[in-house]
Amino acid sequence: MSWKLFELLVQASFYTVQISFISITIGLVIGTAVSAASLSPNRALSISGRTFVSFFRGVPLLVQLLLIYNLLPALGINVPSVVAAITGLSLCTAAYQAENLRGGFQSVPRGLLEAADMVGLSSFQQFRRIKAPIALRLALPSLVNEAIMILKASSLVSVVGIVELTRMAQDLAASTYRPIELFSAAGLLYLIINWLIAWGGSVFERSFRWGRP
Amino acid sequence: MTTPAISVRGLIKRFGDVEVLHGIDLDIPQGQVSCLIGPSGSGKSTLLRCMAFLEEATDGLIFINGEPLGYAPGPQGKPVRLPAARIRAVRSQIGMVFQQFNLWPHMTALGNVSEALKTVHGVRKSEAEERAMVQLKKVGLAERAGHYPSQLSGGQQQRVAIARALALEPKIMLFDEPTSSLDPELTGEVLNVMRALAADGMTMVVVSHEIGFAAAVCQQIAFLDNGKLLMTGTPQEIFGKPRHPRLDQFLDTYLDRGAAMLV
Ligand SMILES: Nc1ncnc2c1ncn2[C@@H]1O[C@H](COP(=O)(O)OP(=O)(O)O)[C@@H](O)[C@H]1O
Ligand SMILES: [Mg+2]
């Protein structure tokens, strides 16, 4: 395979990384809000949180992407397809991240919050200073896992016309008749990116050791 | 008469259908150490937690230095809930120490002690840490300031928890079995800190099975049995003869009889 082809694949893989990274970040923000809503004593909030999760977890990502891609123009909202792609990925990963974080939030011992109550931390301060860091630590391994899943799932955004890594490999394979080399190279690139994510995750996890060996 | 540090009036607490406190009336005097003793399940923790408004009473009122905590007497005799800011203000006079320490695992000892000063009271980080160090020195842990809870022994964690409560300069300290989850050789260091606090004139309410401590340090002892306050008095009155039969039975069943004899 020529160097030129490989360079095209690498460029497409940057695109894959960008779309995934943006979606995971947005998903983390939405997921945090959704998990807080699911756990809220307010019934309306907790029902909407859980409905969000069951919808975006229950409908295949491919269907979600196609739905968003067709729905937005039908509603008169014209957005570039990359926005539709990121919206779909973000909402889907938000649902999974919300579930991971919910588990994290629920395992914060009640006593830690009572201690916070006693020194006067408001509920928002408790969320920010006590619950969020502890929940994040507990959820971190599954969040890294989710990041890897989303990176791989980002190959689906080709259905809305995004030429990311998988699609680029397909296009090049069709024009060069060298599918085995191209898909092997694409696979290798995915593997390297995911190694980097896993490595970054473990570095990040180490900063959450809090004195444990 | 000075206002009691804490007044409990007609306190009833139910969990679902189960009534665990059946109308408690109790005054905690200023500047003294009061101990709550009683068999396990008798409602000691629930009573203490109601005094801190960590548990809401089903009926009855709590006054902290004369101010109602949580609920105030209402027009038709029915207590009315106070606004959250008011509850927080009254509660700020109370420090609480828990059986399980409840230190925040992601913060160092210094972080635990300075957290509320920084986050709640907006004290600059350097000043908050300076003030936290004063408290850590007081509990003998200045050199452990940078340690996380997981790097401290149970006794040290409990002393950090005491320092954390003291950093906000409460007028009253509540202790719920502060040494019960410690190995026996570690209880002494915590009790010593509590003794020093008592000698400083801190108003303290201590739920404890350490009868030796209760007899030596407490000016007032309240014996709780099955959700009722059976008797309150000085250690001499409580442990001296003749004893209430339930108390005698309690001392027999749960405690080191020898310690009670020291009185
Ligand atoms: N959150 C709760 N829900 C239901 N029952 C409770 C709860 N907390 C305490 N109880 C019950 O109330 C009674 C008194 O408990 P507690 O105050 O912990 O007793 P003590 O501290 O004297 O051992 C016990 O029967 C206990 O099972
Ligand atoms: Mg108890």
Side-chain angles (χ1 to χ4, degrees), chain A residues 2 4 18-19 31 48 63 78 85-86 90 98 100 105 112 118 122 126 138 147 150 161-162 176 188 204 211-212:
Chain A
S2 76
K4 183 73 203 143
Q18 278 171 18
I19 289 177
S48 23
V63 176
N78 274 311
I86 288 174
S90 300
N100 293 335
F105 282 122
L112 300 191
M118 287 310 299
S122 67
Q126 292 185 23
L138 291 166
I150 280 299
I162 306 285
T176 61
L188 185 66
F204 194 49
R212 286 183 200 77

Side-chain angles (χ1 to χ4, degrees), chain B residues 33-80:
Chain B
V33 183
S34 304
C35 278
L36 277 175
I37 61 170
S40 116
S42 58
K44 305 180 296 295
S45 297
T46 306
L47 175 54
L48 199 73
R49 291 165 57 79
C50 284
M51 290 177 181
F53 205 59
L54 286 175
E55 215 70 81
E56 286 196 25
T58 309
D59 197 8
L61 292 167
I62 308 280
F63 297 88
I64 305 297
N65 290 314
E67 296 177 88
L69 173 61
Y71 286 81
Q76 283 101 39
K78 194 166 165 44
V80 287

Side-chain angles (χ1 to χ4, degrees), chain B residues 164-178:
Chain B
R164 174 174 67 181
L166 290 177
L168 301 177
E169 297 170 1
K171 302 202 179 88
I172 304 166
M173 287 283 284
L174 309 180
F175 297 82
D176 191 1
E177 301 206 31

